Amino acid sequence: MSDTPPLLVPASALPPEMTIDTADTLIADFRILATGGHGHSVILDASKVEVLSTAAIQLIVALEKSLTEGGGHLLIAGASESFRHAFADLGIGLPTEQEV
Amino acid sequence: MSTDLSQFRQTYIAECFELLADMEARLMELDVGAAGSEALNAIFRCAHSIKGGAGAFGLQEIGSLTHVMEALLDSLRDGRVAPSRASVDMLLKARDIVLQMVEAARDGVKVPENLGADIKAALQSAADGTPNASPSTLSLEDKPTPPQVTSEVHAPQSWRIGFTPYQTLFMTGNEPILILRELARLGQTVVTAFTGQVPTLSTLDPTRCYLSWIIILSTDKPESAIREVFEFVTDHCDLRLVNITLQTSGPVSEKLPEKKMDALPALPIVSCAPAAAPVTTAASPPAEDPVHAVPHVTSIRVDLEKVDRLVNMVGELVITEAMLHALMRDFTMDKLSGLLGGLSELSQHTRELQEAVMSVRMQPVHSVFARMPRLVRDLAAQLNKDIRLVMVGEATEVDKTVIEQLSDPLTHMIRNACDHGIETPAVRLEKGKSAQGTINLSAAHRGGRIVIEIRDDGAGIDRARVLAKARSKGLVATDAQPAEDEIDAMIFLPGFSTAEQVTNVSGRGVGMDVVKRNIAAMGGHVRISNTPGQGACMTVSLPLTLAILDGMIVRVGKELYIVPIANILETLRPTRADVRRLEQRGDVINVRGEFIPLVYLGQVFSVPNTHQDPAASLVILVESNQQRAGLVVDELVGQQQVVIKSLEANADPVRGVSGATILGDGRVSLILEISDLTLMRASTTAHAWAA
């Protein structure tokens, strides 16, 4: 059983626009973020996100899956209303939120 | 065709509890100084969903009250009425009454005729606060969002829409989120996404779509309107549209809930300054408090992926069973290896199935934690204190049974922290603290258990007062000098209370002992750490499930015991030189320079014919509550999952034993409670030395 995720991982800020057009850059960034060995956790600062497409949410789901498989966690910090609504509208649960 | 609507009514009532909890949390989060329309919309949607269903199931009183709540919320979001603490209080009060009404509906009890009449009038008056605001301007039809479905709408149709885009959908320029939002405009939707096909980052192609959806839509619009939403993607997806409306004899058919928002709304910090308005002190006792009562939960929501996994597991089991049958039909010894392989597979599938079934019961503790901000807010107002609640780890999962039983003890501990722990602002300032006190509530998985901490920065436990009280009640001999932690633990003694006056918040003398007993009944334990003047911390440790545990079977004499694997650190075969006898502390074992106390299980349970010499035995190094001990046993028999049977159903609690199980050969074996054993060792040793 996993312990609580570490709280001292620095948060990586997500850009205001996360669409299919920026997916290539995003996946490259996410792959770097996910590289950290067993139990590696990532915090995404979602406070600036204004536009979030299905493709981008799918990338976040994939990042969470990758981290979970490695025994880590994905945490979201300061999720903006747009970010929350996009997840809710797609019927996908928001990843665990990190207190800010 | 007549249909039994009772099952839908139950679903509606269960959803009402969720919506009311959501509404409460959102009202608590609402920043009255800068309430955004989105926040108000979300609260409005909760009220609206409850109202819609109320009409469908003939619960007019609920529909009527939520309608007036909507009116005020509408005025707030339109800016006709400025959000204020008073309006939030009013909405919270109305929410509480709706909760009572829903509970009455669940229990088949008729609510008093005038229940909620006062608050209804107050809400309406507040909603009409702006000049020219007439009932007509508050009518539902004028509201732009969310989509309106009123009880006057006859026979809305319910549709199940399977939407599985082809992987190339993104490349066609189509965007599922826009389609789903468009769909939501037609009526009420419940959207379920399937993320199981999304690969990990290493193999994911970001231009491909791996998601699919099932949407339940309740709408009075025709099928053509729904198909029109998918007009541009019909060639790029698998679309299945099924009318699932159940015809009834009445005018209104199945009513579906509004789309559920994110499952875990963020409630990280809630500030609970005292309310400006005077607050009645004649609150009902906590146990009967309808606001914070736990709804009786008879159903749980399960992720479809978990159900799919179960179905897969059962499929595997059936295949393996068929294979074994085929083998056994004309079995010869040359097929032995095949048989053994099949049995091994069967064993693996059984284990996986068990894990899958258990995971269905795992739920986040959020459902219990979510009630606490309101509790703290109300108590802060009642006690004239300024209290901030910080919550961490709400997503931590634990068995549903544990969650259901956790609410009362947790509520009581929070009450105690507010009442006895946090000081009034004036006292805090005198002590050089900030006027606002803080209670930290956290949950985490640790060592196969869930650990919940309630930490406050209040006054801590006044040991001199506790000891004096214990002596006056005859709980401690007048000449005894208990250790500090023993004094702290006295608050768990039955009937113990240091409150000078019995209050309606806590201090009724039936608190912490009940908390301890309830937690112990779940196989858990509670510890307290106290720094007088600076605060106290209650740590509750509970098993993740109450049904099954991984255990190590050990032999002591002729008896077999189960040691929970979660408690085991390592096993050792010590030499005589490793074991020392310390004055006043009994035997200890030297493990890489650390001296760890030994517990002779044979001695603890009075088992005859056991080894007394650790060098001739095995030592199992265990840990519980950050305390380590070495259990001296004769033999390790093997590791096994065991089904926990409660002893307390048929016998009194046995110290050092958390339950029993039945082994494969039919023998009964006791499951050890490691935290008790370390304490028992201390008392046994003390008695031995005293003798």
Side-chain angles (χ1 to χ4, degrees), chain A residues 1-5 7 18-20 23-35 52-67 69 79 81-100, chain B residues 26 38-39 45 170-171 175-178 180-181 191-193 195-211 213 259-266 268-269 305 362 388 390-393 395-396 443-449 544:
Chain A
M1 195 54 65
S2 60
D3 280 333
T4 36
L7 300 177
M18 298 176 66
T19 63
I20 186 78
D24 280 335
T25 317
L26 277 173
I27 194 170
D29 290 347
F30 280 6
R31 279 176 179 151
I32 294 167
L33 282 176
T35 315
L52 189 62
S53 73
T54 309
I57 289 183
Q58 186 175 266
L59 277 177
I60 294 171
V61 171
L63 172 62
E64 184 171 35
K65 244 180 203 182
S66 304
L67 293 169
E69 273 191 11
E81 283 296 304
S82 306
F83 190 87
R84 287 175 192 283
H85 283 165
F87 271 85
D89 291 345
L90 278 184
I92 297 175
L94 205 62
T96 307
E97 291 194 67
Q98 165 75 49
E99 189 190 332
V100 289
Chain B
R26 288 178 186 280
E38 273 310 318
R45 281 196 293 269
F170 293 155
M171 300 175 207
E175 171 56 71
I177 201 167
L178 297 180
L180 293 171
R181 282 173 181 162
V191 182
T192 306
T195 57
Q197 298 300 316
V198 180
T200 55
L201 286 172
S202 55
T203 54
L204 180 129
D205 176 350
T207 62
R208 293 189 172 271
C209 180
Y210 303 92
L211 297 163
W213 291 267
K259 167 177 61 195
K260 188 172 177 288
M261 297 299 282
D262 33 337
L264 295 171
I269 298 177
E305 277 185 47
M362 298 297 271
R388 186 173 71 122
V390 180
M391 300 197 295
V392 176
T396 311
H445 284 154
R446 237 176 264 161
R449 295 174 78 87
L544 292 179

Side-chain angles (χ1 to χ4, degrees), chain B residues 378-385 387 415 418-420 424 503 505:
Chain B
D378 290 355
L379 288 175
Q382 196 172 337
L383 298 163
N384 284 320
K385 292 179 179 178
I387 307 174
R415 280 178 185 281
C418 291
D419 194 13
H420 299 311
T424 58
T503 71
V505 177

Side-chain angles (χ1 to χ4, degrees), chain B residues 10-317:
Chain B
Q10 277 181 6
T11 306
Y12 164 70
I13 285 172
E15 279 161 358
C16 278
F17 285 125
E18 288 179 11
L19 288 163
L20 288 167
D22 193 21
M23 182 191 283
E24 183 182 45
R26 288 178 186 280
L27 280 167
M28 295 294 300
E29 278 180 337
L30 200 65
D31 181 354
V32 292
S37 61
E38 273 310 318
L40 290 167
N41 274 341
I43 298 165
F44 185 98
R45 281 196 293 269
C46 293
H48 185 72
S49 296
I50 294 170
K51 188 180 86 168
F57 294 107
L59 302 167
Q60 303 307 336
E61 67 285 354
I62 295 176
S64 166
L65 183 50
T66 44
H67 179 75
V68 191
M69 290 172 81
E70 281 185 348
L72 175 55
L73 285 161
D74 200 38
S75 296
L76 292 172
R77 67 182 182 180
D78 285 358
R80 281 174 285 156
V81 174
S84 65
R85 172 90 188 193
S87 54
V88 171
D89 282 347
M90 213 181 287
L91 286 164
L92 280 168
K93 177 77 181 158
R95 173 259 171 210
D96 295 345
I97 291 171
V98 174
L99 178 63
Q100 285 184 51
M101 290 171 170
V102 173
E103 284 174 337
R106 176 198 62 199
D107 301 337
V109 179
K110 195 166 166 48
V111 293
E113 207 165 299
N114 58 351
L115 180 66
D118 292 351
I119 192 70
K120 212 166 128 184
L123 285 167
Q124 191 62 64
S125 162
D128 294 343
T130 309
N132 303 326
S134 64
S136 64
T137 60
L138 295 170
S139 72
L140 292 172
E141 286 68 26
D142 291 341
K143 299 181 182 85
T145 58
Q148 302 306 311
V149 179
T150 70
S151 55
E152 287 77 41
V153 175
H154 288 265
Q157 303 287 298
S158 294
W159 300 86
R160 184 172 60 234
I161 305 159
F163 174 38
T164 309
Y166 298 153
Q167 286 199 355
T168 51
L169 183 86
F170 293 155
M171 300 175 207
T172 64
N174 283 295
E175 171 56 71
I177 201 167
L178 297 180
I179 293 170
L180 293 171
R181 282 173 181 162
E182 190 66 27
L183 207 55
R185 290 201 182 96
L186 298 183
Q188 293 183 308
T189 57
V190 177
V191 182
T192 306
F194 292 84
T195 57
Q197 298 300 316
V198 180
T200 55
L201 286 172
S202 55
T203 54
L204 180 129
D205 176 350
T207 62
R208 293 189 172 271
C209 180
Y210 303 92
L211 297 163
S212 58
W213 291 267
I214 285 182
I215 306 112
I216 306 292
L217 169 68
S218 178
T219 180
D220 52 0
K221 300 284 188 298
E223 181 178 348
S224 57
I226 303 171
R227 293 203 176 273
E228 201 176 324
V229 172
F230 293 93
E231 190 179 7
F232 297 108
V233 293
T234 43
D235 293 332
H236 308 290
C237 73
D238 181 5
L239 185 67
R240 284 157 203 261
L241 200 57
V242 182
N243 189 329
I244 56 168
T245 307
L246 297 167
Q247 298 302 323
T248 68
S249 54
V252 180
S253 64
E254 176 189 34
K255 186 76 186 69
L256 286 164
E258 188 170 343
K259 167 177 61 195
K260 188 172 177 288
M261 297 299 282
D262 33 337
L264 295 171
L267 287 170
I269 298 177
V270 181
S271 184
C272 307
V279 177
T280 174
T281 53
S284 52
E288 295 156 18
D289 185 347
V291 177
H292 306 108
V294 191
H296 299 289
V297 180
T298 53
S299 62
I300 53 174
R301 286 177 184 274
V302 180
D303 190 336
L304 266 177
E305 277 185 47
K306 286 184 176 177
V307 176
D308 288 346
R309 194 174 155 221
L310 268 179
V311 173
N312 282 343
M313 289 291 105
V314 170
E316 294 290 332
L317 264 183

Side-chain angles (χ1 to χ4, degrees), chain B residues 420-423 428 431 433 454-463 484-485 488 528-538:
Chain B
H420 299 311
I422 304 290
E423 311 94 329
R428 290 181 64 86
K431 289 181 176 175
K433 296 179 178 179
I454 303 103
R455 183 185 296 276
D456 69 71
D457 67 350
I461 295 172
D462 183 343
R463 291 186 178 124
E484 288 183 343
D485 55 345
D488 294 341
I528 184 164
S529 62
N530 171 36
T531 312
Q534 292 180 36
C537 177
M538 299 276 182

Side-chain angles (χ1 to χ4, degrees), chain B residues 654-671:
Chain B
V654 181
R655 206 168 172 207
V657 173
S658 62
T661 192
I662 300 169
L663 300 175
D665 61 1
R667 291 174 70 178
V668 173
S669 176
L670 297 178
I671 301 166

